[in-house]
Amino acid sequence: MTVRTHFLKLNTNKNFEIIDITSKINELIDIETGLISIFSKHSTSAIVVNENEAGLLGDLEFTLDNLIPNKFSYNHDRIDNNAHSHLKSFLLSSSECLPIKNNKLDLGTWQSVFFIELDGPRSNRTITLTIIGE
Ligand code: ZN
């Protein structure tokens, strides 16, 4: 059994941005069969699995903005004015644990892995990939 750790670094360009990281992850997978934990080390971002269809990704932004509008006075805004970004991150997830088969992510036909920037633009966003398998 092998355990390996890789770090994926990303720079983001917009306040809200959805970045498909599936191929970047596949390039770093160096075992045939196992599991990979994909973990974002930031509290205003998310890691999710879903379909890479432009209309749907726009719908996600629309839905999050309607659930958590940036027009209220949230408590955390007294500290650094990004409560809405944290709250969206609470509703999503900071990590995914996914199967590896034949040296790549074993995703369904319509699935991709996304990093979601919720408080950009930022430089040096770090995603930790922990791979366990053989
Ligand atoms: Zn904050």
Side-chain angles (χ1 to χ4, degrees):
M1 180 153 95
T2 306
V3 181
R4 289 203 183 90
T5 304
H6 300 279
F7 299 98
L8 191 56
K9 302 276 189 179
L10 291 178
N11 297 324
T12 62
N13 302 303
K14 292 188 271 184
N15 183 255
F16 179 92
E17 189 173 355
I18 302 176
I19 301 170
D20 190 329
I21 56 172
T22 311
S23 60
K24 285 192 166 114
I25 294 169
N26 277 332
E27 282 168 22
L28 291 168
I29 289 177
D30 46 10
I31 59 162
E32 193 179 309
T33 306
L35 284 173
I36 182 167
S37 164
I38 303 156
F39 172 63
S40 171
K41 301 186 77 170
H42 309 280
S43 57
T44 55
S45 71
I47 301 288
V48 298
V49 174
N50 217 298
E51 183 175 347
N52 192 351
E53 189 279 311
L56 180 63
L57 301 182
D59 294 339
L60 175 63
E61 181 172 12
F62 172 81
T63 301
L64 288 171
D65 283 343
N66 277 284
L67 286 170
I68 303 168
N70 193 15
K71 66 182 180 189
F72 299 123
S73 181
Y74 298 107
N75 292 322
H76 182 74
D77 287 339
R78 281 177 278 183
I79 296 169
D80 64 359
N81 208 35
N82 66 351
H84 65 286
S85 304
H86 289 277
L87 291 168
K88 289 173 182 172
S89 181
F90 268 109
L91 293 187
L92 300 169
S93 174
S94 59
S95 69
E96 289 280 355
C97 185
L98 301 172
I100 294 168
K101 194 173 148 190
N102 300 325
N103 290 90
K104 62 185 181 71
L105 291 166
D106 189 25
L107 295 167
T109 306
W110 303 107
Q111 289 180 315
S112 293
V113 183
F114 298 104
F115 173 85
I116 304 187
E117 175 60 77
L118 299 166
D119 194 30
R122 298 285 189 107
S123 56
N124 238 12
R125 290 298 210 179
T126 303
I127 301 158
T128 305
L129 307 177
T130 308
I131 299 173
I132 302 171
E134 53 193 12

